[in-house]
Amino acid sequence: MMKLLCARTGILVLLMLGSLPFSGCVMMKDKPAAEDLNLVMAGMDGSDGVSFEGAAALLIDGKTVPESSLYYGGKVADHNQISLYSLLPDGGHPASAAESGPHPLKQSSGDAPVYYTRMVKEDGKWTMKQASPALDGSNPLEALNPLRQLEELEKLDKKVTEEAGSARGTRVLRIELTAQEARKQLSAELEQKMLVIKPAARRDAAAADTHAKALEAKSALWEQKQAELQQRLNQADIRTVYYLKVDPKRNLPTRLTRNRTLTYPGKAGTTTEEAYITQVDFYGYK
């Protein structure tokens, strides 16, 4: 009963288990970092397709939560169609192998759930067209759509700088959200996840009457966890930083990393730190 809610109540756990072509002739060189980000987005819009592979993991006080690790891959086609699917820890796909090297976030683990989703951008919004059966009320791949993450970066209140010491032939942009924006972003994601797993009454009267007590208990538990999460969120310090690795010759992203860190009061006067890390590599641009 309410397996997801009962397992762990950390703030980030819920998030684990949802233009015109640009020629690319302008190179990034001695430009402000914020302008570089705009060039990257224009370059991405001008690409007909790209493949990607990524990983996501939740760490609590520096230790990885094993069941939170997710490895995924996918492809973008015709600018507005994207498919995502879960990968095995070694980069393999349940049906076909993904041609990519070991991922920095990957660790050995046991069998993991298999997810798949296909999304299309319609009227400026990404809409799910096909998906594998959701587990525990949600499909985590929807939230890992890398195109949506890049598009959101344009609109968020942020500070963009360039990381020093980048490898030759690349640039790394550091994009940190303001404290208010980081809190607003996380609050919206949590609200959406909680609505997905909120217990609902059965439609037919007979079934609703039979399961009335069970529904009441589930609803009470949901309300309790909702209040606990909101309390922790109110007490938490939230910091969200993106790192965008870019090929400056083509104005195209090669890697996007997001580090979201929450620090809040724990038990017996201690402090708890949760870090949710996602990283995705892009390759095979068309």
Side-chain angles (χ1 to χ4, degrees):
M1 180 177 66
M2 297 295 287
K3 179 180 178 182
L4 180 61
L5 286 176
C6 294
R8 284 181 178 268
T9 56
I11 293 176
L12 297 181
V13 174
L14 283 172
L15 302 180
M16 300 303 350
L17 299 169
S19 63
L20 290 175
F22 183 74
S23 65
C25 60
V26 180
M27 289 181 58
M28 291 181 179
K29 186 175 181 181
D30 300 326
K31 290 181 177 294
E35 291 185 22
D36 287 349
L37 180 59
N38 293 335
L39 284 175
V40 170
M41 295 308 303
M44 197 69 165
D45 287 341
S47 174
D48 291 329
V50 65
S51 298
F52 56 87
E53 184 177 337
L58 174 67
L59 290 77
I60 297 181
D61 291 332
K63 297 181 180 180
T64 303
V65 180
E67 61 268 27
S68 74
S69 297
L70 179 65
Y71 314 106
Y72 62 97
K75 294 182 179 181
V76 178
D78 299 327
H79 304 282
N80 64 348
Q81 299 181 38
I82 188 168
S83 60
L84 298 95
Y85 45 81
S86 56
L87 294 171
L88 302 176
D90 61 1
H93 188 277
S96 60
E99 296 180 357
S100 177
H103 197 285
L105 289 180
K106 289 180 179 177
Q107 299 178 4
S108 297
S109 64
D111 294 337
V114 176
Y115 297 98
Y116 171 80
T117 188
R118 184 174 66 86
M119 306 180 72
V120 176
K121 191 175 183 181
E122 300 175 330
D123 298 325
K125 296 182 180 180
W126 287 98
T127 303
M128 185 182 296
K129 294 297 184 180
Q130 183 180 2
S132 56
L135 300 180
D136 288 327
S138 65
N139 186 327
L141 293 177
E142 184 178 1
L144 294 172
N145 179 349
L147 288 192
R148 183 165 63 184
Q149 291 185 33
L150 286 169
E151 292 165 356
E152 288 177 346
L153 275 178
E154 289 189 288
K155 306 172 185 177
L156 299 174
D157 191 5
K158 58 193 177 293
K159 179 180 180 181
V160 185
T161 56
E162 183 177 355
E163 284 286 280
S166 300
R168 186 176 180 180
T170 65
R171 298 186 74 175
V172 177
L173 305 181
R174 183 182 186 277
I175 307 160
E176 181 168 3
L177 303 188
T178 64
Q180 182 177 3
E181 191 70 70
R183 183 177 298 277
K184 179 181 176 182
Q185 182 192 55
L186 177 57
S187 297
E189 292 177 20
L190 283 172
E191 181 178 0
Q192 182 179 12
K193 290 294 183 181
M194 290 300 292
L195 286 176
V196 169
I197 62 176
K198 186 176 183 180
R202 300 286 183 88
R203 289 191 173 183
D204 64 284
D209 183 66
T210 303
H211 297 281
K213 291 184 178 180
L215 175 62
E216 183 178 354
K218 289 180 180 181
S219 298
L221 179 60
W222 185 90
E223 294 288 351
Q224 176 188 340
K225 298 305 178 183
Q226 168 82 328
E228 291 177 0
L229 284 169
Q230 190 59 53
Q231 181 180 11
R232 288 189 181 182
L233 185 62
N234 292 339
Q235 296 174 338
D237 291 325
I238 306 169
R239 186 182 186 189
T240 302
V241 181
Y242 295 80
Y243 295 91
L244 183 61
K245 186 177 180 181
V246 176
D247 177 347
K249 292 184 179 181
R250 298 187 298 168
N251 299 323
L252 292 172
T254 58
R255 173 177 292 177
L256 176 65
T257 303
R258 182 177 74 170
N259 294 348
R260 173 186 278 159
T261 305
L262 283 77
T263 306
Y264 54 88
K267 297 180 180 179
T270 61
T271 299
T272 297
E273 181 180 276
E274 296 184 18
Y276 180 41
I277 304 174
T278 63
Q279 184 170 292
V280 58
D281 294 317
F282 300 93
Y283 60 93
Y285 281 98
K286 299 178 181 179

